[in-house]
Structure formats: C-alpha cells, structure tokens
Amino acid sequence: MSYLSWFEAHAAKHRQIVDKLLAQGFDQEAIIDYFDFENMCEHEPDFCPLYKEHRKCHDMEKLNCYLCACPNFRFNDEGFKTHEGITTFSHCSIDSKDGRQGRYGDAIHQDCSKCTVPHHRSYVQKHFDPDWKKIMKGCHN
C-alpha cells in the first residue's frame, strides 16, 4: 500500500467518525476526548489494526488518536531524492529528536515510533480542525 492510498483511506475513516460525532452534537473537546486510545479501542475497533490487540503504536500513558499520522510527516510515493541508489520516501519536517530515518533495502523511511508529538491532547487542541485533511495538508506533494 502506498503512503497516499493509506492517507486517503484513513482520511475517509476519520471523516466518517467526526461526521457521526458532529451529528450527535459533540463539540471540539468532546471529539478530542472520543479519540482517546481506550475509547477508540472500545467504540471504533476498525479504525486501527492495533485496536483489536489493545496495543498502542507509541509508548505513552495518555495516547490521543485524533492525529493518527502526524502533520509533520512528509511523504512522496515517488521519492524525494535518490542518492547512490537509495531513495528517501518520507521524513520529519521538524526533525523530531525522537524520530529517525530507517533504511530498508534501497529505501529510506521516517520511523516515528519513538515520537509522541501529535498524540498529546494539548497538541491536538492546538492544531484541531474537524477536517483531518486540512491539518495534514503539508504531508504530501
């Protein structure tokens, strides 16, 4: 699956949940609360494959899943650059100290597994928009 196909599929799932919550009268704070990991595992088990195992993607106590995928993640399915036969397909726009570039064969991808930046409630509140794609607009080109 390409980054872009995952991104579009995830945006559709996210939109469906947010539209449901808005129709029920949820405000911004209630929507953010709804995306708490524990609640999502219980009420939206198909949103993330890890929910079925009740496993978090990041090791943190209070994980908020509203920004599953990070607004600072940059991807290009064609690659950003190639050097000595190795293509970089993704990177972090803020060079998070907790992220790293991983080499997988002839490809380099951003590894965000140790970074928790977008999963803190305060970060979600600061960047909140009911349209996930607006928050994520800088991710792909």
Side-chain angles (χ1 to χ4, degrees), residues 69-113:
C70 177
N72 302 309
F73 184 81
R74 301 294 182 261
F75 68 86
N76 184 323
D77 287 331
E78 303 302 316
F80 287 105
K81 63 183 179 179
T82 300
H83 179 71
E84 295 181 5
I86 301 167
T87 303
T88 300
F89 291 97
S90 58
H91 64 90
C92 176
S93 69
I94 62 169
D95 292 324
S96 170
K97 65 180 176 47
D98 296 319
R100 71 173 191 82
Q101 293 278 285
R103 182 171 172 189
Y104 307 90
D106 60 355
I108 294 175
H109 295 279
Q110 183 67 24
D111 177 353
C112 307
S113 60

Side-chain angles (χ1 to χ4, degrees), residues 1-125:
M1 173 181 278
S2 71
Y3 281 124
L4 187 57
S5 62
W6 179 89
F7 183 88
E8 293 298 336
H10 185 76
K13 289 192 299 187
H14 198 280
R15 178 84 261 160
Q16 184 177 14
I17 294 169
V18 170
D19 285 349
K20 173 181 73 174
L21 299 177
L22 289 171
Q24 293 174 18
F26 280 50
D27 64 7
Q28 175 179 324
E29 295 303 310
I31 291 171
I32 294 170
D33 287 343
Y34 189 87
F35 276 83
D36 176 74
F37 172 79
E38 299 295 333
N39 188 67
M40 291 293 284
C41 285
E42 182 179 341
H43 293 102
E44 305 292 343
D46 295 329
F47 186 72
C48 172
L50 298 177
Y51 290 171
K52 288 176 178 62
E53 303 169 26
H54 205 267
R55 186 166 54 99
K56 293 180 178 180
C57 55
H58 298 276
D59 185 20
M60 57 190 296
E61 187 175 334
K62 296 295 270 174
L63 174 68
N64 188 281
C65 301
Y66 193 81
L67 290 175
C68 171
C70 177
N72 302 309
F73 184 81
R74 301 294 182 261
F75 68 86
N76 184 323
D77 287 331
E78 303 302 316
F80 287 105
K81 63 183 179 179
T82 300
H83 179 71
E84 295 181 5
I86 301 167
T87 303
T88 300
F89 291 97
S90 58
H91 64 90
C92 176
S93 69
I94 62 169
D95 292 324
S96 170
K97 65 180 176 47
D98 296 319
R100 71 173 191 82
Q101 293 278 285
R103 182 171 172 189
Y104 307 90
D106 60 355
I108 294 175
H109 295 279
Q110 183 67 24
D111 177 353
C112 307
S113 60
K114 302 265 190 264
C115 182
T116 62
V117 168
H119 300 297
H120 293 277
R121 182 181 176 76
S122 59
Y123 187 91
V124 175
Q125 287 173 310

